[in-house]
Amino acid sequence: MSPGPAPRRNSKPCPRYGFDRAEAAFALDIVKNCGRRAAAERLAITDGAARSHLSKIFDETGVSR
């Protein structure tokens, strides 16, 4: 008897809000640490990429500033 297909892993680590892996990692790092710039440095991404992640996170959660 074959084991059947492997269970599908959710491509979105945070399906409630639809975050992709990079957005989820960035959001977690912001919450745990000292904000956008510090998170960007720790994750080795540009400030522009950090702003983009944050904008998408706001959109996906319905939050506005």
Side-chain angles (χ1 to χ4, degrees):
M1 185 186 254
S2 66
R8 280 185 46 173
R9 293 185 67 179
N10 192 335
S11 63
K12 302 280 187 177
C14 189
R16 181 176 186 176
Y17 295 109
F19 297 167
D20 63 25
R21 291 191 187 285
E23 292 164 350
F26 182 72
L28 184 59
D29 208 51
I30 283 180
V31 172
K32 287 174 139 180
N33 296 300
C34 301
R36 186 191 78 233
R37 287 187 181 138
E41 286 182 23
R42 270 189 292 287
L43 295 171
I45 61 175
T46 66
D47 191 51
R51 286 176 184 265
S52 177
H53 285 320
L54 197 52
S55 178
K56 288 178 185 176
I57 289 167
F58 284 169
D59 288 344
E60 291 168 352
T61 58
V63 173
S64 62
R65 295 178 11 147

